[in-house]
Amino acid sequence: MNVLACRPGDADTDLVIVSASEEQVSELGQWSAATGGELDRALASKEFSGKLFETFLTPIVADAYRPRRLAAIGLGPQKAFTIDRARRVATAAALIARQSKIGRVAFVADGAFDAPYMIQAIAEGLTLAEFDAGQYKTANYERFALQSSAIIVKEESHQAAVPAARRGQVIGEYCNMARQLDNEPGNTLTPSIFAERIADIARGGGLSVDVLDWAGLERLGMGMLLGVGRGSAEPPRLVTIRYEPQSAPPAPVLGLVGKGITFDTGGISIKPHLDMDRMKDDMAGGAAVACAMGAIAALETPTRVVGVIPIAENMPGGRALRPGDVLKSASGKTVEVINTDSEGRLILGDALWYAQQLGATHLVDIATLTGAITVALGKITTGLFGTPAFVDRVREVAERAGDRCWPLPLFEEYKDQLRSDIADLINTGGRPGGAITAALFLQEFTGGLPWVHLDIAGTAWAEENKPFMPKGPTGVGVRTLVEVAGAVGGWNLESKN
Ligand code: BES
Ligand code: MN
Ligand code: ZN
């Protein structure tokens, strides 16, 4: 990500991207001469009127300019402008450039964009546009990659913009890495391969990593993770990543826990075939944790963080869990498995306990946990649960990070739905409030620490193309986790509700 402090017309790039709100669209008229009058014509005819994501691409004909093309993109109404819009507009513009086979782009960050957090968001947005989902295509596939992207700033903003742009680029690249993992099918991302890929990411970022196999999980008594893993020929794993910057105080220690089901058939409580292929992304939470940790380390975030990723394939093999089986968790609590398709909470329960053993003082888990969260919040918003003060903080951070989320309650009364006749808990609370009872199950394993649970079952995968997000894996949560790690040291959070 280059940061250029020059006149946009002097930038060494193929495409200059300029933007305007509906109210300020006429200010783009300054570019009209460069485009041989095309821009004035487009403004006059309302072909371009500044509506959100509206784009107008035209050649630059005047010799005094280095770039050969101009893209104008709409910001929508001025009063609706936010950091997240800046990020999305940058992605949308860079995606248009890719579609038009334009390799080098430069985004003009003047006016409302001229602040470090905006520069970061633009850099994130431009980087997110680099994601390519065609990793297994061979024939008839034109892969067109952006060669370089740049942000053009005012001379006096340059110094502050350089680190902000780098931050945005690093975060964007780790988001794309998570999307790449989410896109891998179950056969190329078995539990052992997923564990290796995570270890590579961690080691690449200079982090220490530890991978436990079956025997290691038995030593820890992780009956819930082992139980879920039992039905598959591919044995489960538990990956631990530690980030321990010398400069950071001994506490807080942020524990990040991500669901890593490499494929979820449902087990013996098998899922219907329709859209079952989607269950390859049931490890999106685990990928988000691994990639967030990579970014946290790359950005030298001054907070201790431990990542715990329980990994299994939920299959209905001959040794699989039966409905009614009772499992003993690492924490000692016993669980009656009513439905083998409620496997995420089982593996997360053991992992949340383990994060505490590793010294976590604050817990954030992220998981494609329930279909019920999509019933409640649709595919736009991540479900947010946890201890109230921590929930409020994460909500603010997520908003800036561009991961929409919204809180749901954890009232005591729902716990009746998790009562077992023979064990401490059952693993499924039935249809009413399904995302809430899932979160309450997790709460049993948080030891009363400040804790947040993000249910990304609706948001990890985009079902349709949007101007700022092609359909497929979204990388949801990575940016939020990175920003939470940066901020958690300064927060004063009570541990009890
Ligand atoms: N991985 C699924 C949740 C899911 C559903 C993610 C749709 C993405 C899209 C989870 O393991 C699951 O199967 N949950 C069950 C729980 C139920 C049996 C209580 C569900 O939501 O149907
Ligand atoms: Mn399931
Ligand atoms: Zn699942």
Side-chain angles (χ1 to χ4, degrees):
M1 189 72 48
N2 294 315
V3 182
L4 310 172
C6 62
R7 279 197 329 126
D10 294 337
D12 183 18
T13 185
D14 299 325
L15 175 76
V16 205
I17 302 165
V18 295
S19 58
S21 65
E22 289 167 19
E23 292 84 350
Q24 292 184 320
V25 80
S26 63
E27 287 176 22
L28 293 180
Q30 58 176 303
W31 286 92
S32 201
T35 63
E38 278 301 301
L39 201 60
D40 270 349
R41 188 196 53 71
L43 292 172
S45 68
K46 298 269 195 296
E47 179 181 344
F48 183 76
S49 60
K51 294 213 169 56
L52 185 59
F53 302 131
E54 187 177 57
T55 43
F56 177 70
L57 186 64
T58 189
I60 293 180
V61 294
D63 285 338
Y65 293 78
R66 272 180 97 176
R68 293 332 293 158
R69 277 183 172 66
L70 177 89
I73 183 157
L75 301 174
Q78 197 155 12
K79 65 175 188 313
F81 185 72
T82 59
I83 305 177
D84 193 39
R85 280 224 166 147
R87 184 186 292 107
R88 288 178 174 194
V89 160
T91 306
L95 284 174
I96 298 264
R98 257 181 77 182
Q99 264 165 32
S100 312
K101 307 279 185 284
I102 298 170
R104 300 180 308 152
V105 304
F107 192 101
V108 180
D110 51 10
F113 296 106
D114 184 34
Y117 60 89
M118 283 292 184
I119 301 293
Q120 178 186 330
I122 293 164
E124 285 172 7
L126 293 174
T127 308
L128 290 170
E130 290 169 11
F131 178 68
D132 190 294
Q135 69 242 57
Y136 290 108
K137 287 184 188 283
T138 56
N140 300 326
Y141 183 61
E142 274 187 72
R143 191 186 304 271
F144 188 85
L146 287 173
Q147 288 145 23
S148 77
S149 37
I151 302 176
I152 302 176
V153 298
K154 289 204 296 277
E155 181 73 51
E156 60 270 29
S157 310
H158 186 263
Q159 208 183 342
V162 169
R166 175 178 174 260
R167 212 182 138 76
Q169 181 180 3
V170 166
I171 293 173
E173 282 171 358
Y174 277 100
C175 282
N176 289 343
M177 215 181 282
R179 294 162 85 188
Q180 189 93 24
L181 286 167
D182 297 348
N183 232 356
E184 290 288 350
N187 66 328
T188 63
L189 201 78
T190 61
S192 57
I193 297 174
F194 188 29
E196 275 171 33
R197 298 271 302 258
I198 293 172
D200 287 346
I201 290 170
R203 289 195 197 106
L207 293 156
S208 62
V209 48
D210 178 49
V211 180
L212 292 178
D213 61 8
W214 189 279
L217 296 174
E218 270 186 337
R219 274 194 296 277
L220 288 170
M222 292 207 169
M224 296 200 293
L225 177 53
L226 288 168
V228 172
R230 244 166 52 185
S232 170
E234 300 284 348
R237 293 283 188 271
L238 183 82
V239 182
T240 312
I241 311 168
R242 284 173 200 255
Y243 173 59
E244 292 167 319
Q246 290 309 306
S247 58
V253 179
L254 177 63
L256 300 179
V257 177
K259 174 177 174 180
I261 295 290
T262 59
F263 195 83
D264 182 12
T265 67
I268 296 297
S269 315
I270 200 160
K271 289 181 180 294
H273 66 270
L274 189 73
D275 293 335
M276 205 209 268
D277 56 293
R278 267 283 321 283
M279 287 300 125
K280 70 176 185 179
D281 90 324
D282 213 14
M283 33 53 70
V289 166
C291 294
M293 295 223 36
I296 288 165
L299 298 172
E300 297 177 37
T301 308
T303 309
R304 286 174 203 274
V305 187
V306 44
V308 181
I309 304 164
I311 304 175
E313 186 181 49
N314 190 21
M315 294 285 271
R319 288 165 45 80
L321 277 180
R322 292 150 286 248
D325 283 2
V326 173
L327 300 176
K328 183 158 186 155
S329 69
S331 75
K333 286 189 173 147
T334 56
V335 177
E336 186 184 2
V337 179
I338 298 297
N339 188 326
T340 65
D341 198 10
S342 296
E343 83 296 340
R345 63 198 75 180
L346 297 173
I347 70 170
L348 289 168
D350 277 342
L352 284 164
W353 171 84
Y354 194 52
Q356 292 161 67
Q357 305 306 301
L358 297 175
T361 58
H362 297 69
L363 295 167
V364 177
D365 78 74
I366 177 164
T368 46
L369 200 62
T370 67
I373 199 65
T374 313
V375 177
L377 298 174
K379 295 201 42 78
I380 306 294
T381 309
T382 292
L384 172 62
F385 304 82
T387 49
F390 204 4
V391 162
D392 289 346
R393 299 302 187 136
V394 171
R395 200 175 152 187
E396 284 166 28
V397 166
E399 169 114 15
R400 270 183 281 133
D403 290 324
R404 291 193 176 281
C405 61
W406 202 261
L408 287 164
L410 292 174
F411 298 127
E412 284 277 321
E413 291 89 330
Y414 290 105
K415 285 192 191 163
D416 293 346
Q417 289 170 241
L418 293 176
R419 220 174 267 149
S420 165
D421 293 332
I422 63 169
D424 296 330
L425 291 164
I426 56 173
N427 77 326
T428 180
R431 276 178 61 84
I436 294 173
T437 51
L440 280 166
F441 183 95
L442 298 180
Q443 187 185 48
E444 294 292 319
F445 299 90
T446 59
L449 292 177
W451 158 69
V452 156
H453 158 57
L454 298 164
D455 192 338
I456 56 168
T459 49
W461 196 267
E463 226 72 68
E464 54 194 66
N465 283 313
K466 301 240 172 87
F468 55 89
M469 177 68 72
K471 71 177 177 201
T474 63
V476 67
V478 174
R479 295 193 300 271
T480 297
L481 297 179
V482 173
E483 302 291 353
V484 167
V488 78
W491 291 341
N492 178 23
L493 304 166
E494 93 287 9
S495 59
K496 297 282 173 203
N497 288 7

